Amino acid sequence: MSFNHRKSVTHRLVQAARVHRTRAAVHLGRIGLHPGQEAVLKALAERDGQSMSELAAELAVQPPTVTKMISRLGAQGLLTRQTSSADGRLARVFLTDAGRERAGAVDAVWKRVEKEALAGLDEKDRKRLKKLLRQIEKNLLPTGVAAHADDDDEEMIEAAAKPAAPLLREEAEEGATD
């Protein structure tokens, strides 16, 4: 008998992620953002003045993607690019006052989507779901990282899950030579 992927847990996980992103897009659209743009605003709200390459690394996207997002957010007046006085080749990105306001509005969107997504789940189920999802993330990390990540080390798990993580490349290279 063949594997019916539509009945698998991973299929449900992918579907849930897809519907979540679609729902988030609706709410983000109401505050004038597209999916992905909120991550730029929140990254800058946490650490303003990042370079384009720092943003690309933090967001786990390619530099041209960041450039496009920065251009669009700049056109909305949410951020500015400033050339570094120390190195004219380096541009740093800063939130404007309007960008800071919009970053604050993102929190409300995220809270609303979370509330909608978890409707009907009691606190015990929510905690269990969070723990299970963290375990899935850990299971899918490269072997060397997973062995060093404890269940509460969310930063390590998130950092290692980024596509540009060196251990992912190393593991892929090892797999290619086996």
Side-chain angles (χ1 to χ4, degrees), residues 130-140 151 157:
K130 186 176 177 183
K131 184 176 181 179
L132 291 169
L133 290 170
R134 189 178 306 121
Q135 183 62 49
I136 289 170
E137 287 177 86
K138 189 175 170 184
N139 290 347
L140 295 174
D151 290 341
I157 291 171

Side-chain angles (χ1 to χ4, degrees), residues 24 27-28 34 51 55 67 75 89 95 125 129 134 154 173:
H27 293 302
L28 288 168
H34 295 286
S51 70
L55 277 170
T67 301
R89 298 169 296 171
L95 288 174
D125 286 341
L129 178 59
R134 189 178 306 121
E154 290 185 38
E173 289 167 5

Side-chain angles (χ1 to χ4, degrees), residues 145-170:
V145 175
H148 293 58
D150 64 31
D151 290 341
D152 294 326
D153 197 348
E154 290 185 38
E155 285 183 23
M156 177 185 251
I157 291 171
E158 286 183 23
K162 292 180 180 179
L167 286 174
L168 279 175
R169 285 195 302 274
E170 289 173 19

Side-chain angles (χ1 to χ4, degrees), residues 96-129:
T96 62
D97 290 339
R100 249 181 274 303
E101 256 183 61
R102 194 76 55 93
V106 168
D107 289 339
V109 167
W110 284 348
K111 285 178 186 177
R112 183 170 183 178
V113 172
E114 173 124 342
K115 182 179 178 183
E116 291 174 4
L118 300 178
L121 299 178
D122 63 25
E123 191 58 34
K124 183 179 175 184
D125 286 341
R126 290 172 188 223
K127 285 181 180 177
R128 181 79 176 135
L129 178 59

Side-chain angles (χ1 to χ4, degrees), residues 63-122:
T65 303
V66 169
T67 301
K68 186 183 286 186
M69 287 194 290
I70 297 304
S71 295
R72 289 180 176 166
L73 291 167
Q76 292 182 49
L78 301 176
L79 48 82
T80 60
R81 269 187 280 202
Q82 297 176 9
T83 305
S84 170
S85 56
D87 182 351
R89 298 169 296 171
L90 183 66
R92 298 215 171 266
V93 184
F94 295 89
L95 288 174
T96 62
D97 290 339
R100 249 181 274 303
E101 256 183 61
R102 194 76 55 93
V106 168
D107 289 339
V109 167
W110 284 348
K111 285 178 186 177
R112 183 170 183 178
V113 172
E114 173 124 342
K115 182 179 178 183
E116 291 174 4
L118 300 178
L121 299 178
D122 63 25

